[in-house]
Amino acid sequence: MEFKSRRSVLVAKNGCVACTNPLAAQAGLDILKAGGNAADAAVAVAAALNVTEPMSTGIGGDAFCLFYDSLTKTVKGINGSGRSSEKASLRRLEAEGYNKNHHFSPLHGHAVTVPGAASVWVDTITRFGSQKLSLLENLKPAIEMAETGFPVQEIASKFWASGASSLKRPENIYGKDLLLNGEAPQHGDLMKNPHLANTFKELGTQGKKGFYEGRIAKAVSDSIQQHGGLITIEDMSAHEATEEMPISTEYKGCKVWEMPPSGQGIVALIALNILEGFDLNSMGHNSSVYLHHVIESLRLAFADGLHYCADPSQVDIPIEKLLSKEYAEKRRNLIESNKRIPVSLLETDGLDLPAGNDTVYFTTADKYGNACSFINSNYMGFGTGIVPEGCGFTLQNRGFGFSLDASHRNVLAPRKRPYHTIIPSMVTSAETNELLMSYGVMGGYMQPQGHVQVLLNMLEFGCNPQTALDLPRINLGSLNESAHNPKCLFQAVDIEEGIPLDVMLDLEKLQHNPSLISGLKRCYFGRGQIISRGSHWWDSKTINSSKPMYWAGSDPRADGLVAAY
């Protein structure tokens, strides 16, 4: 697969939607034009992506939402990550032969935590929506696509095919519901999912009870237990998303917002704090010296994130200290210009997490100045691939992210949330609290790295949103050698095609162990979306105009686009 086309940055007056699928983007735009706001449109897009990209996202997964309220000029967050079963414990799993040296499979029923996405969809509408459209009306575009069929897009078809084996397992009786004549649909095939349409109708008419109680809840818990898991109907009915105060740091006049742990958004903020002390612009974009400082800052940030990130309701996390400028200065002083920091000085014990990159990130903005930064994920492709009877969606495998080491903060425990990789982001003015940007980059450990690189492209080098997404990136770790070894984050780095060979050679001399990634594998560097309020990366005063335009971009590493009016 070659990347030869170019895209112009889109400029819109009233509202826009940026996501990985053009049909889903149109679904969100229809909601905006029908009178809905950014929150309404976000839920419409989330459901539509479940239909069109079930290998990456869905109601059987988890979700996080950041919402910018233009009236109060505040950023609010909803954490929809699911929890483990009340019956989950190390002792229980050890009795089955699982321990820190022998983890259960990511396709096992133990890998499923309670699916949290449905609760986020409902709460996003209830707490942030326009109240002009019902939940069912917001789900209507997705329901129609699932019932009448939709053409499968190119990159989606490739990821559908790569994950189809989990649906074809003999024990996965209803996996065939997400296949076409027993196989993954090909590019251009018309695909239907009537079971998913019915699931959306039940959610739309009954709210959370339509998913976490009754037929769907029973089908979910039954299918998990049939695959050896512990989730019960009681675990399902006990689930609630939580409204949480996002965390932030200031970077050169901008306040960058992320969801707090157990998500890894704090990694991006720590890295930005470290990088703030360098003159990055003078180094030159994607030069070897620039990338060296970005890589080192990210390595230090991940060392902290992997060590501390866990469920804050069950462990203490020193967020204030980790985000302090004083702490950043200490970490910055470890960076040398002529060599990388030895792994032994990073001081992390790591986590048992794979570097999956199957998620959807999207963002919406409306004519009122509100914006929604939203991310929804199954974790690894189709997740476990387990399809509950008559439901039309797969169940995530986020529980595979728990450690089975009793001494680790992220150890499995009853009703606990695991370390989470999916993170939405926003940027506001540190001075006025005006919205500057709603953005994100999906893709496992790539996400905080993408947040940092895309933001620097704009704030340090004056790129517009589309160009900022187009430019090649780096990714800690090694896709070719050890995609499932988190410690590889500190030992190697992958370089996307487009970064000059002499830069790679310089990074090799600095002991970063670079590898070149090209073709379809470039999706490994994440798929991002950006909606910026005004052109502040060129002129910081533009946000003060009476009604600044939206400037938006969509990542060329996916099928998506920006839909606007």
Side-chain angles (χ1 to χ4, degrees):
M1 177 169 287
E2 297 181 347
F3 293 74
K4 288 186 175 180
S5 64
R6 69 168 294 277
R7 301 184 186 188
S8 298
V9 62
L10 184 142
V11 188
K13 182 174 68 173
N14 291 313
C16 48
V17 177
C19 74
T20 53
N21 184 282
L23 303 178
Q26 187 62 54
L29 184 63
D30 288 345
I31 294 298
L32 289 178
K33 296 176 77 172
N37 70 359
D40 297 315
V43 172
V45 173
L49 287 170
N50 187 172
V51 177
T52 58
E53 297 187 23
M55 80 301 296
S56 296
T57 185
I59 201 169
D62 288 342
F64 290 80
C65 168
L66 287 177
F67 183 78
Y68 178 81
D69 186 329
S70 63
L71 291 178
T72 61
K73 296 185 180 181
T74 56
V75 179
K76 304 172 183 178
I78 299 178
N79 179 344
S81 59
R83 300 171 179 84
S84 58
S85 171
E86 188 175 31
K87 298 179 179 179
S89 68
L90 280 185
R91 179 176 295 182
R92 177 70 178 260
L93 267 65
E94 286 171 352
E96 298 179 20
Y98 300 115
N99 53 53
K100 64 180 181 180
N101 298 316
H102 180 218
H103 209 288
F104 50 81
S105 162
L107 302 181
H108 194 282
H110 285 323
V112 188
T113 52
V114 174
S119 63
V120 179
W121 296 6
V122 175
D123 286 353
T124 297
I125 296 295
T126 302
R127 299 177 185 182
F128 309 140
S130 68
Q131 311 309 315
K132 296 178 181 178
L133 300 173
S134 68
L135 176 60
L136 184 60
E137 287 174 308
N138 285 309
L139 296 175
K140 185 178 179 181
I143 292 171
E144 291 181 349
M145 273 197 287
E147 287 183 330
T148 63
F150 63 94
V152 177
Q153 305 302 312
E154 183 178 12
I155 292 178
S157 70
K158 296 181 184 298
F159 282 105
W160 207 314
S162 67
S165 59
S166 67
L167 301 174
K168 296 179 181 180
R169 291 177 295 154
E171 66 272 24
N172 192 7
I173 302 172
Y174 303 104
K176 63 182 185 299
D177 293 347
L178 293 179
L179 298 171
L180 186 62
N181 300 320
E183 299 294 335
Q186 297 183 10
H187 183 201
D189 281 347
L190 189 72
M191 184 70 184
K192 298 180 181 180
N193 192 338
H195 291 307
L196 184 59
N198 290 333
T199 293
F200 287 169
K201 289 176 184 178
E202 291 184 51
L203 179 69
T205 55
Q206 302 174 39
K208 292 181 187 178
K209 288 185 177 181
F211 188 88
Y212 293 102
E213 300 177 22
R215 178 189 75 86
I216 295 174
K218 185 177 187 305
V220 168
S221 59
D222 283 352
S223 63
I224 292 171
Q225 291 174 31
Q226 288 163 7
H227 286 78
L230 302 172
I231 299 292
T232 64
I233 292 180
E234 290 73 25
D235 292 320
M236 291 288 291
S237 62
H239 176 77
E240 284 288 345
T242 54
E243 188 167 348
E244 297 180 0
M245 181 63 192
I247 57 177
S248 66
T249 194
E250 290 188 20
Y251 185 89
K252 298 190 175 179
C254 296
K255 185 171 281 189
V256 185
W257 297 89
E258 301 277 358
M259 288 294 291
S262 56
Q264 62 175 347
I266 195 171
V267 172
L269 302 183
I270 293 171
L272 287 171
N273 278 343
I274 296 171
L275 287 164
E276 190 177 30
F278 298 116
D279 184 359
L280 300 177
N281 181 269
S282 69
M283 297 177 184
H285 183 263
N286 277 0
S287 67
S288 55
V289 63
Y290 170 76
L291 290 179
H292 171 66
H293 284 80
V294 170
I295 291 167
E296 292 295 79
S297 297
L298 287 167
R299 291 174 76 227
L300 288 165
F302 267 112
D304 291 327
L306 291 175
H307 180 76
Y308 287 107
C309 278
D311 188 338
S313 70
Q314 299 201 22
V315 297
D316 292 327
I317 304 172
I319 294 176
E320 185 175 349
K321 177 182 177 181
L322 290 170
L323 293 182
S324 71
K325 300 297 185 180
E326 294 77 16
Y327 182 72
E329 184 177 3
K330 292 179 181 178
R331 299 298 264 172
R332 189 183 306 121
N333 289 337
L334 294 174
I335 298 177
E336 298 184 51
S337 61
N338 60 348
K339 62 180 178 180
R340 75 169 190 171
I341 303 168
V343 175
S344 60
L345 294 183
L346 294 174
E347 297 182 355
T348 179
D349 50 4
L351 282 177
D352 235 336
L353 288 171
N357 67 347
D358 298 300
T359 299
V360 291
Y361 170 80
F362 54 93
T363 180
T364 59
D366 60 40
K367 62 183 178 181
Y368 310 107
N370 305 308
C372 198
S373 186
F374 205 105
I375 197 159
N376 210 126
S377 175
N378 295 330
Y379 194 22
M380 302 179 204
F382 284 106
T384 57
I386 299 171
V387 180
E389 181 180 3
C391 292
F393 60 82
T394 62
L395 295 170
Q396 40 87 327
N397 52 1
R398 190 58 64 175
F400 188 71
F402 279 120
S403 172
L404 299 185
D405 182 347
S407 65
H408 202 282
R409 291 168 178 263
N410 188 51
V411 65
L412 174 70
R415 293 272 169 91
K416 186 176 182 179
R417 285 169 160 161
Y419 178 107
H420 239 280
T421 57
I422 62 175
I423 50 172
S425 186
M426 276 191 174
V427 183
T428 60
S429 167
E431 181 180 352
T432 67
N433 295 323
E434 295 281 356
L435 174 69
L436 297 181
M437 186 163 68
S438 177
Y439 85 115
V441 179
M442 52 67 61
Y445 288 135
M446 181 64 210
Q447 294 182 56
Q449 302 181 66
H451 286 197
V452 168
Q453 291 176 75
V454 167
L455 186 67
L456 295 179
N457 288 349
M458 295 178 70
L459 299 186
E460 294 286 355
F461 300 100
C463 297
N464 68 52
Q466 187 59 59
T467 303
L469 290 168
D470 291 346
L471 289 170
R473 304 170 189 148
I474 57 92
N475 191 357
L476 301 188
S478 174
L479 175 66
N480 293 332
E481 295 180 7
S482 189
H484 296 281
N485 177 11
K487 293 182 179 179
C488 191
L489 285 171
F490 309 113
Q491 298 167 343
V493 62
D494 279 334
I495 305 293
E496 188 174 12
E497 182 182 12
I499 292 177
L501 178 60
D502 61 336
V503 172
M504 279 194 63
L505 295 175
D506 286 343
L507 293 178
E508 178 68 41
K509 293 175 183 177
L510 291 167
Q511 302 178 326
H512 286 301
N513 302 316
S515 298
L516 179 67
I517 304 296
S518 60
L520 180 62
K521 290 183 179 180
R522 288 181 64 178
C523 295
Y524 167 64
F525 292 92
R527 285 158 278 172
Q529 316 292 333
I530 299 174
I531 297 176
S532 173
R533 188 67 161 161
S535 53
H536 53 86
W537 63 93
W538 286 329
D539 180 0
S540 61
K541 297 178 181 179
T542 58
I543 194 62
N544 296 321
S545 60
S546 59
K547 188 174 182 181
M549 299 293 183
Y550 288 117
W551 295 65
S554 183
D555 203 304
R557 299 164 187 82
D559 295 313
L561 50 69
V562 181
Y565 78 112

